[in-house]
Amino acid sequence: EAQVTQNPRYLITVTGKKLTVTCSQNMNHEYMSWYRQDPGLGLRQIYYSMNVEVTDKGDVPEGYKVSRKEKRNFPLILESPSPNQTSLYFCASSLFGWASGGALDTQYFGPGTRLTVL
Amino acid sequence: KQEVTQIPAALSVPEGENLVLNCSFTDSAIYNLQWFRQDPGKGLTSLLLIQSSQREQTSGRLNASLDKSSGRSTLYIAASQPGDSATYLCAVVPMEYGNKLVFGAGTILRVKS
């Protein structure tokens, strides 16, 4: 089954304790991205990746890191989480990114990770 | 800066009713517009994608239209069912930076049986 998976689905942690949220897709997609969803603010892009070893900042990258060592995986790293990073996080992927000459095509989203930082 | 607005914020209708969800965007320079459905505890599911050169797309009981010059899109749901209850999100890919989606806040739809 074609899908985007995220782990963990729920996480409660404390300020300053490093954590990683994993994202994996099995569709051989080039483009992957991370969004956070907050009440009243909607979904906002954190980071995106056009392909392996190619990543760039989105609208709200502060406090986050990413890496793209393999095409299928795009982990989101919070080196020192703070309470303002409490949010619902989504990973998304699509076959092509902008660099392919077109625009983002149909996006496939993971089920989300609900993170609470105390 | 591109902004996307969805009206209404919430909508409650009886089963069987036809309904329209609205989406507006401030900059008409877009590559495409996508409609998503979000269910509680689940991710977003893509419903329809309309390229900037297209006027509408249809999938089953769903029809989405795009008027790029006026910065508007509508999602029409025919013969609504309780299973249609969800949050519907509209998103555009701006030409200024084609590498992300800019989302509206969504419309929460409840279809009563």
Side-chain angles (χ1 to χ4, degrees):
Chain A
E1 179 190 356
Q3 61 183 353
V4 179
T5 57
Q6 293 180 228
N7 282 293
R9 295 288 313 281
Y10 303 91
L11 179 61
I12 300 175
T13 189
V14 295
T15 299
K17 186 176 181 180
K18 182 180 178 180
L19 66 91
T20 299
V21 183
T22 64
C23 172
S24 182
Q25 50 88 8
N26 62 1
M27 297 170 278
N28 202 36
H29 283 175
E30 290 187 356
Y31 177 91
M32 298 184 75
S33 66
W34 278 101
Y35 291 85
R36 61 178 288 175
Q37 185 177 33
D38 302 287
L41 296 175
L43 282 103
R44 293 174 293 167
Q45 190 184 56
I46 303 171
Y47 268 94
Y48 66 94
S49 170
M50 292 295 197
N51 214 323
V52 176
E53 303 292 0
V54 181
T55 64
D56 208 344
K57 297 177 182 179
D59 292 325
V60 288
E62 295 78 20
Y64 304 95
K65 286 176 59 178
V66 293
S67 69
R68 187 94 181 271
K69 293 183 170 58
E70 304 168 281
K71 199 171 187 178
R72 64 182 292 128
N73 296 322
F74 189 45
L76 180 69
I77 304 158
L78 285 73
E79 293 271 3
S80 182
S82 62
N84 65 12
Q85 293 178 297
T86 292
S87 187
L88 180 58
Y89 291 86
F90 288 102
C91 179
S93 73
S94 63
L95 186 58
F96 298 118
W98 193 24
S100 69
L104 296 183
D105 56 359
T106 300
Q107 296 289 296
Y108 295 83
F109 280 78
T113 295
R114 186 165 293 281
L115 172 66
T116 301
V117 183
L118 303 174
Chain B
K1 177 185 175 186
Q2 178 74 264
E3 293 182 358
V4 180
T5 303
Q6 291 186 247
I7 294 173
L11 182 62
S12 182
V13 301
E15 182 177 4
E17 192 163 297
N18 302 325
L19 58 98
V20 174
L21 307 181
N22 296 292
C23 171
S24 62
F25 44 96
T26 54
D27 188 343
S28 62
I30 62 169
Y31 282 113
N32 62 50
L33 182 144
Q34 301 182 36
W35 282 94
F36 294 88
R37 169 183 173 140
Q38 183 175 15
D39 294 283
K42 298 184 180 180
L44 282 68
T45 301
S46 179
L47 298 172
L48 291 164
L49 184 154
I50 311 177
Q51 301 291 356
S52 62
S53 58
Q54 297 175 323
R55 297 284 293 183
E56 65 178 342
Q57 281 286 340
T58 298
S59 176
R61 294 182 293 109
L62 304 179
N63 176 276
S65 68
L66 174 65
D67 184 344
K68 197 175 66 166
S69 61
S70 67
R72 293 180 182 176
S73 176
T74 61
L75 179 66
Y76 175 83
I77 303 177
S80 59
Q81 303 170 357
D84 294 330
S85 298
T87 298
Y88 290 81
L89 296 163
C90 163
V92 300
V93 179
M95 282 188 173
E96 182 180 2
Y97 25 75
N99 50 34
K100 70 176 181 184
L101 294 163
V102 178
F103 282 88
T107 294
I108 302 171
L109 173 64
R110 180 184 171 213
V111 180
K112 300 172 289 185
S113 57

